[in-house]
Amino acid sequence: MGPRSHQLSLGFSVSCLDLLLLLPLLPECMGAEGRLAHKLFRDLFANYTSALRPVADTDHALNVTLEVTLSQIIDMDERNQVLTLYLWIRQEWTDAYLRWDPDAYGGLDAIRIPSSLVWRPDIVLYNKADAQAPASASTNVVLRHDGAVRWDAPAITRSSCRVDVSAFPFDAQRCGLTFGSWTHGGHQLDVRPRGAAASLADFVENVEWRVLGMPARRRVLTYGCCSEPYPDVTFTLLLRRRAAAYVCNLLLPCVLISLLAPLAFHLPADSGEKVSLGVTVLLALTVFQLLLAESMPPAESVPLIGKYYMATMTIVTFSTALTILIMNLHYCGPSARPMPAWARALLLGHLARGLCVRERGEPCGQSRPPESPPSPQPPDGGAGPPAGPCHEPRCLCRQEALLYHVATIANSFHSHRAAQRRHEDWKRLARVMDRFFLGIFFSMALVMSLLVLVQAL
């Protein structure tokens, strides 16, 4: 073993020996620090009272700094308009009677004592919505040698919040929490916020609400009961609702149903399901309306999704009523009166070409020209076959009787064809009206749905 190794071994042995000698002194040192803390506590609170405002000059106001950290949104009760939050509240002020020289107490510059032993500002939540009396949190305060007192306390607050659901489920809310002294005016206690906003560093994300911020604002108000001003600090919680669940469960089904309702105009009249489809859609919307009413808070104004449901139900009702009228046109029968000339020219002419409503085998854009079938009359003004016997085999009276019967059959045939043409004209008019209202109501439903869905983007 070399000389250097011998020196290292000797130094290590000496160090271990020094540590063994100092170990019995550690409890004594720690006990000395505890004794100094007890001595400091006895000296500070020998003549101290927590009942009076700790200022050297009673004419000076005591400054209290308020800091709020938002931890969690527990509940937003829109029906009762109550917001429940979990907050960390920090209050800092200077106590003129709790100061000491750290050198006189072994360098001890801060102690932690129960908050009930020192004076605490009576800062409360003004817009509290809880029937229970405010309870002070039993946490310690940090007391420094220069008299600075810091009190950190958790709190579950229930505050009133005016909830505006006119844009539900795409609404944004502003809920204020106003803190201030309950008995001390501005000349005795001045409250100021620390920073421009509350801290969101430890916030637990909420599944329904997204927090946009929580700015702080100091106000000085004069109430009717007192002449002196009362300062307060208002933290405004800015919230926006997460609308994904409402869009998937309430809005999208209504959009799909509203787009399905105009298709009743596209169904053939002979299917017998045109009115049934409209009534079924109306019943489905009624069920969704009841579900919406259960999940939607009551309000003075109708929410956006409620307006959409009402408008959709109105459109479906009108479309069902028009479907019934169009069915009446379709089944008017051969006994119907002829179509007016203006309706034939305007609806079966221009509108049918524009909507591409055509007969089978007829090219799009062309309409069947109106026909005025001849109306044959029987000979001799329709007076009937000549009376009297005719004994000749080639008698003219027999030919006239035959012509009369042929003309009668032709008149019946042409009357039947005219009635059938009138019936076909009314059926074609019903198809034109179906095509026209299909485009109108489908466009209205599509535009309304897009306007509502744009709000979600």
Side-chain angles (χ1 to χ4, degrees):
M1 181 182 294
R4 183 170 180 81
S5 300
H6 179 72
Q7 291 177 0
L8 290 174
S9 300
L10 183 60
F12 180 75
S13 301
V14 173
S15 299
C16 293
L17 181 62
D18 292 342
L19 288 176
L20 291 175
L21 293 176
L22 291 176
L23 281 177
L25 298 178
L26 289 178
E28 184 178 355
C29 295
M30 295 177 62
E33 184 178 354
R35 287 194 297 270
L36 290 176
H38 280 79
K39 182 178 183 302
L40 173 61
F41 180 80
R42 290 194 299 268
D43 294 344
L44 288 177
F45 290 93
N47 298 316
Y48 182 82
T49 176
S50 60
L52 300 177
R53 192 167 51 97
V55 290
D57 189 356
T58 57
D59 294 334
H60 291 171
L62 180 63
N63 296 323
V64 177
T65 302
L66 185 65
E67 182 180 0
V68 170
T69 300
L70 178 61
S71 178
Q72 185 180 4
I73 298 176
I74 299 178
D75 182 43
M76 168 66 90
D77 189 356
E78 295 100 335
R79 187 173 296 273
N80 297 316
Q81 298 191 356
V82 175
L83 174 65
T84 305
L85 300 176
Y86 179 49
L87 305 175
W88 299 343
I89 302 177
R90 170 175 291 184
Q91 303 177 49
E92 295 180 350
W93 67 92
T94 301
D95 196 317
Y97 302 113
L98 297 178
R99 296 177 178 175
W100 71 90
D101 184 8
D103 296 335
Y105 296 92
L108 189 62
D109 61 346
I111 58 174
R112 289 164 176 80
I113 57 177
S115 59
S116 58
L117 299 178
V118 301
W119 177 89
R120 294 174 298 180
D122 58 341
I123 294 179
V124 296
L125 180 62
Y126 282 175
N127 56 332
K128 188 172 181 289
D130 198 349
Q132 299 179 358
S136 301
S138 58
T139 57
N140 291 341
V141 297
V142 179
L143 179 61
R144 297 186 59 83
H145 67 279
D146 56 355
V149 183
R150 189 186 70 197
W151 181 26
D152 295 329
I156 296 179
T157 62
R158 288 172 52 87
S159 59
S160 59
C161 176
R162 182 176 177 84
V163 181
D164 182 16
V165 293
S166 58
F168 178 87
F170 311 107
D171 54 329
Q173 306 297 334
R174 297 172 58 92
C175 298
L177 286 83
T178 303
F179 295 91
S181 176
W182 191 251
T183 58
H184 295 90
H187 301 308
Q188 297 176 338
L189 193 146
D190 189 12
V191 184
R192 295 183 178 275
R194 177 182 293 277
S199 176
L200 302 176
D202 299 305
F203 177 68
V204 179
E205 291 293 335
N206 190 267
V207 296
E208 185 176 2
W209 297 95
R210 184 170 66 252
V211 177
L212 305 180
M214 197 173 180
R217 181 168 60 96
R218 179 179 179 271
R219 303 181 304 173
V220 179
L221 302 177
T222 301
Y223 299 95
C225 64
C226 313
S227 59
E228 56 182 335
Y230 279 80
D232 60 51
V233 176
T234 301
F235 294 90
T236 304
L237 182 60
L238 306 179
L239 300 174
R240 181 173 295 277
R241 192 186 302 270
R242 301 180 188 271
Y246 296 98
V247 170
C248 295
N249 297 327
L250 293 177
L251 191 57
L252 280 182
C254 181
V255 170
L256 297 178
I257 291 175
S258 65
L259 295 178
L260 181 65
L263 294 180
F265 294 107
H266 194 64
L267 279 176
D270 297 330
S271 65
E273 300 294 334
K274 293 172 69 69
V275 180
S276 301
L277 177 60
V279 174
T280 303
V281 170
L282 191 59
L283 291 176
L285 288 175
T286 305
V287 173
F288 277 102
Q289 177 72 22
L290 294 177
L291 294 177
L292 177 64
E294 293 179 358
S295 62
M296 191 172 56
E300 298 177 358
S301 59
V302 181
L304 177 64
I305 190 172
K307 295 178 181 178
Y308 177 71
Y309 269 78
M310 292 174 59
T312 303
M313 294 177 68
T314 303
I315 288 179
V316 174
T317 303
F318 274 106
S319 66
T320 306
L322 288 173
T323 300
I324 296 174
L325 296 178
I326 293 173
M327 292 284 290
N328 190 22
L329 293 178
H330 181 82
Y331 289 107
C332 61
S335 60
R337 60 183 180 180
M339 186 178 299
W342 64 268
R344 182 184 296 275
L346 180 62
L347 301 179
L348 296 185
H350 302 290
L351 188 58
R353 285 195 299 269
L355 298 176
C356 200
V357 179
R358 61 187 185 274
E359 297 290 345
R360 182 176 299 178
E362 180 183 339
C364 182
Q366 296 181 4
S367 61
R368 176 170 54 88
E371 299 180 2
S372 54
S375 300
Q377 299 293 332
D380 297 335
C390 184
H391 303 286
E392 298 293 331
R394 296 179 180 269
C395 183
L396 181 61
C397 61
R398 290 191 176 184
Q399 296 180 3
E400 291 179 354
L402 181 60
L403 291 176
Y404 174 80
H405 291 299
V406 170
T408 303
I409 295 174
N411 286 335
S412 300
F413 176 74
H414 287 298
S415 299
H416 179 71
R417 287 197 59 186
Q420 289 296 329
R421 287 194 184 95
R422 289 197 299 269
H423 181 51
E424 292 296 328
D425 287 342
W426 287 112
K427 290 176 64 175
R428 190 181 185 193
L429 178 62
R431 291 197 301 272
V432 172
M433 291 294 99
D434 273 336
R435 188 71 58 87
F436 175 73
F437 287 118
L438 171 64
I440 293 296
F441 282 93
F442 191 83
S443 300
M444 292 175 59
L446 184 61
V447 169
M448 283 198 314
S449 302
L450 290 178
L451 288 178
V452 175
L453 290 178
V454 164
Q455 301 290 330
L457 301 179

